[in-house]
Coordinates of all heavy atoms in Angstrom, one line a residue:
G593 N -9.8 35.0 -107.4 CA -11.0 34.7 -106.8 C -11.9 33.9 -107.7 O -11.8 34.0 -109.0
V594 N -12.8 33.2 -107.1 CA -13.8 32.4 -107.9 C -15.1 32.7 -107.1 O -15.2 32.4 -105.9 CB -13.6 30.9 -107.9 CG1 -14.7 30.2 -108.7 CG2 -12.2 30.6 -108.6
V595 N -16.2 33.2 -107.8 CA -17.4 33.5 -107.1 C -18.5 32.7 -107.9 O -18.4 32.4 -109.0 CB -17.7 35.0 -107.1 CG1 -16.6 35.7 -106.3 CG2 -17.8 35.6 -108.4
H596 N -19.7 32.6 -107.2 CA -20.8 31.9 -107.8 C -22.1 32.8 -107.6 O -22.4 33.2 -106.5 CB -21.1 30.6 -107.0 CG -22.3 29.9 -107.4 ND1 -23.1 29.2 -106.4 CD2 -23.0 29.8 -108.5 CE1 -24.2 28.7 -107.1 NE2 -24.1 29.0 -108.3
T597 N -22.7 33.1 -108.8 CA -23.8 34.0 -108.8 C -25.1 33.1 -109.1 O -25.1 32.4 -110.1 CB -23.7 35.1 -109.8 OG1 -22.7 36.0 -109.4 CG2 -25.0 35.9 -110.0
S598 N -26.1 33.3 -108.3 CA -27.4 32.7 -108.6 C -28.3 33.5 -109.5 O -28.3 34.8 -109.3 CB -28.2 32.4 -107.3 OG -27.4 31.4 -106.5
N599 N -28.9 32.9 -110.5 CA -29.8 33.7 -111.4 C -30.9 32.8 -111.9 O -30.7 31.9 -112.8 CB -29.0 34.3 -112.6 CG -29.8 35.0 -113.6 OD1 -30.9 35.4 -113.3 ND2 -29.3 35.2 -114.8
D600 N -32.1 33.0 -111.4 CA -33.3 32.2 -111.8 C -34.2 33.0 -112.8 O -35.3 32.5 -113.1 CB -34.0 31.7 -110.6 CG -33.4 30.6 -109.8 OD1 -32.8 29.7 -110.5 OD2 -33.3 30.7 -108.6
S601 N -33.8 34.1 -113.2 CA -34.7 34.9 -114.1 C -34.8 34.2 -115.4 O -33.9 33.4 -115.9 CB -34.1 36.2 -114.3 OG -32.9 36.2 -115.0
I602 N -35.9 34.4 -116.1 CA -36.1 33.8 -117.5 C -35.3 34.5 -118.5 O -34.9 33.9 -119.5 CB -37.6 33.8 -117.8 CG1 -38.5 33.0 -116.8 CG2 -37.9 33.4 -119.2 CD1 -40.0 33.1 -117.0
A603 N -35.1 35.8 -118.3 CA -34.3 36.6 -119.3 C -32.9 36.0 -119.5 O -32.2 35.4 -118.6 CB -34.2 38.0 -118.9
D604 N -32.5 36.0 -120.8 CA -31.1 35.5 -121.1 C -30.1 36.6 -120.9 O -29.5 37.1 -121.8 CB -31.1 35.1 -122.6 CG -29.8 34.4 -123.0 OD1 -29.2 33.8 -122.1 OD2 -29.3 34.5 -124.2
A605 N -29.9 36.9 -119.6 CA -29.0 38.0 -119.2 C -28.5 37.6 -117.8 O -29.2 36.9 -117.1 CB -29.7 39.4 -119.2
V606 N -27.3 38.1 -117.5 CA -26.8 37.8 -116.1 C -27.5 38.9 -115.2 O -27.2 40.0 -115.2 CB -25.3 38.0 -116.2 CG1 -24.7 37.7 -114.7 CG2 -24.7 36.9 -117.1
I607 N -28.3 38.3 -114.3 CA -28.9 39.1 -113.2 C -28.5 38.5 -111.9 O -28.7 37.4 -111.6 CB -30.5 39.0 -113.4 CG1 -30.9 39.7 -114.8 CG2 -31.2 39.8 -112.2 CD1 -32.4 39.5 -115.1
N608 N -27.9 39.4 -111.1 CA -27.4 39.0 -109.8 C -28.4 38.9 -108.8 O -29.0 39.8 -108.3 CB -26.3 40.1 -109.3 CG -25.6 39.7 -108.0 OD1 -25.8 38.6 -107.6 ND2 -25.0 40.6 -107.4
E609 N -28.7 37.7 -108.4 CA -29.7 37.3 -107.4 C -29.0 36.8 -106.1 O -29.6 36.0 -105.4 CB -30.8 36.3 -107.9 CG -31.6 37.0 -109.0 CD -32.6 36.0 -109.6 OE1 -32.5 34.8 -109.4 OE2 -33.5 36.5 -110.4
G610 N -27.7 37.1 -106.0 CA -27.0 36.6 -104.9 C -25.6 36.0 -105.3 O -25.6 35.2 -106.2
T611 N -24.5 36.5 -104.7 CA -23.2 36.0 -105.1 C -22.4 35.6 -103.9 O -22.4 36.4 -102.9 CB -22.4 37.2 -105.9 OG1 -23.1 37.4 -107.1 CG2 -21.0 36.7 -106.2
E612 N -21.8 34.5 -103.9 CA -21.0 34.0 -102.8 C -19.5 33.7 -103.4 O -19.3 33.4 -104.5 CB -21.5 32.7 -102.2 CG -21.6 31.5 -103.3 CD -22.0 30.2 -102.6 OE1 -21.8 30.1 -101.4 OE2 -22.5 29.3 -103.3
V613 N -18.6 33.8 -102.5 CA -17.1 33.6 -102.8 C -16.9 32.1 -102.6 O -17.1 31.6 -101.5 CB -16.2 34.5 -101.9 CG1 -14.8 34.1 -102.3 CG2 -16.5 35.9 -102.2
L614 N -16.3 31.4 -103.6 CA -15.9 30.0 -103.5 C -14.4 29.9 -103.2 O -14.0 28.9 -102.6 CB -16.3 29.3 -104.8 CG -17.7 29.3 -105.3 CD1 -17.8 28.6 -106.7 CD2 -18.6 28.6 -104.2
Y615 N -13.7 30.9 -103.7 CA -12.2 30.8 -103.5 C -11.7 32.2 -103.6 O -12.1 33.0 -104.4 CB -11.6 30.0 -104.7 CG -10.1 30.1 -104.8 CD1 -9.3 29.2 -104.0 CD2 -9.5 31.0 -105.6 CE1 -7.9 29.3 -104.1 CE2 -8.1 31.0 -105.7 CZ -7.3 30.2 -104.9 OH -6.0 30.3 -105.1
G616 N -10.7 32.5 -102.6 CA -10.1 33.9 -102.7 C -11.0 35.0 -102.3 O -11.6 34.9 -101.3

């Protein structure tokens, strides 16, 4: 699978603000 997560937070951390599947 390949997924895409959006993250507009200023913090230098991975914050899940929405994830969509691109493949698989």
